Amino acid sequence: MMNKSAHAVKEDHHSMPNSTRMPPAQALERLKAGNARFAANARQVDPHAFDHAVDEKPIALILGCCDHRVPPDILFDAGLGNLFSIRVAGNIVTPTQLGSIEFGALTFGPRLLVVIGHQRCGAIQATLRDLIDNQPPGSDHLKAIVDRMSPACKACCEEHGVDTDFDELTYAVTINNIKNSIAQLKSESEILRDLIDNDGLVIIGAYYNMDSGVVEFFEDE
Ligand SMILES: [Zn+2]
């Protein structure tokens, strides 16, 4: 599947009726409304029910952090089957994450992909400590994650200075890391580029504030 040409990808999507796909703007409004309920402690979606209004297809793809405090289905008050989520420390893009996203986009057809970072992300903080305090990660596997986020960390440390308040620096890196992940998704996946150019896929960034419960979307991505 991953070696399909852009032409083959387009044919795949033309075989999927448009009526089964939720437009990205509508999907985004659903996510915003769900997060507003979550932030107001007013969740109401039945977690055991598929949303038959969208033909049991996920309304959005989510690339988020694996942090136990930031499950997308809860943050967006989404029902079972509503979100196709890929979670990995620091919401980074690696070949396996990218393959999962391509699979979800091709198979189920959601046209909104959200890359979401979050407040006090441990992966971001570990990468910063590695860079600032020379505290290397404890294994090659952890280093593989840190290495993916190092460019965002280095750029922010150079721009803001390493003496900047750690929480402020963490926020800046988190935003930069989200942008890097979006850029990687676009540059590394011919399939996603084709879906963006020819089939209405929209990729946006988002930031979850754990203190307020509010997700801020960056719709100009
Ligand atoms: Zn995190």
Side-chain angles (χ1 to χ4, degrees):
M1 177 182 293
M2 301 314 158
N3 293 324
K4 282 184 176 179
S5 68
H7 179 66
V9 171
K10 286 174 69 175
E11 285 188 340
D12 271 359
H13 285 282
H14 293 162
S15 67
M16 181 181 290
N18 284 329
S19 61
T20 64
R21 294 193 231 151
M22 182 179 287
Q26 187 181 348
L28 181 58
E29 289 309 308
R30 284 273 299 268
L31 296 183
K32 288 180 177 178
N35 177 247
R37 291 194 300 274
F38 167 77
N41 198 23
R43 293 171 58 206
Q44 63 186 31
V45 167
D46 177 359
H48 301 295
F50 282 102
D51 187 342
H52 294 284
V54 290
D55 196 28
E56 299 184 3
K57 297 284 192 300
I59 64 172
L61 300 149
I62 310 286
L63 174 60
C65 185
C66 61
D67 190 304
H68 54 292
R69 301 164 295 180
V70 297
D73 305 271
I74 304 254
L75 304 184
F76 294 119
D77 195 20
L80 189 67
N82 285 160
L83 301 180
F84 189 97
S85 298
I86 295 94
R87 297 179 63 183
V88 59
N91 39 274
I92 57 174
V93 176
T94 70
T96 51
Q97 271 82 50
L98 196 41
S100 298
I101 291 168
E102 290 176 344
F103 170 76
L106 290 173
T107 306
F108 303 113
R111 285 299 169 266
L112 177 65
L113 167 53
V114 179
V115 179
I116 181 168
H118 68 96
Q119 189 179 23
R120 295 193 287 274
C121 179
I124 299 281
Q125 292 171 333
T127 307
L128 272 171
R129 291 194 188 100
D130 176 36
L131 197 66
I132 297 172
D133 302 330
N134 196 26
Q135 295 179 14
S139 75
D140 288 345
H141 304 115
L142 292 169
K143 184 175 184 300
I145 295 171
V146 165
D147 285 348
R148 292 272 175 176
M149 292 182 287
S150 288
C153 282
K154 287 177 180 171
C156 287
C157 286
E158 288 175 6
E159 180 180 351
H160 300 281
V162 295
D163 293 330
T164 302
D165 175 81
F166 193 73
D167 286 344
E168 287 182 27
L169 200 52
T170 299
Y171 174 79
V173 173
T174 302
I175 300 303
N176 203 2
N177 187 56
I178 292 166
K179 291 178 179 176
N180 281 359
S181 287
I182 292 174
Q184 276 184 274
L185 290 170
K186 292 177 178 176
S187 67
E188 296 181 11
S189 173
E190 182 183 358
I191 287 175
L192 294 184
R193 284 200 303 275
D194 181 68
L195 292 176
I196 291 169
D197 292 341
N198 301 303
D199 214 5
L201 178 68
V202 173
I203 305 178
I204 64 173
Y207 177 81
Y208 171 55
N209 183 313
M210 295 199 298
D211 292 336
S212 67
V214 172
V215 173
E216 176 187 3
F217 291 91
F218 308 109
E219 297 178 49
D220 58 340
E221 298 296 343

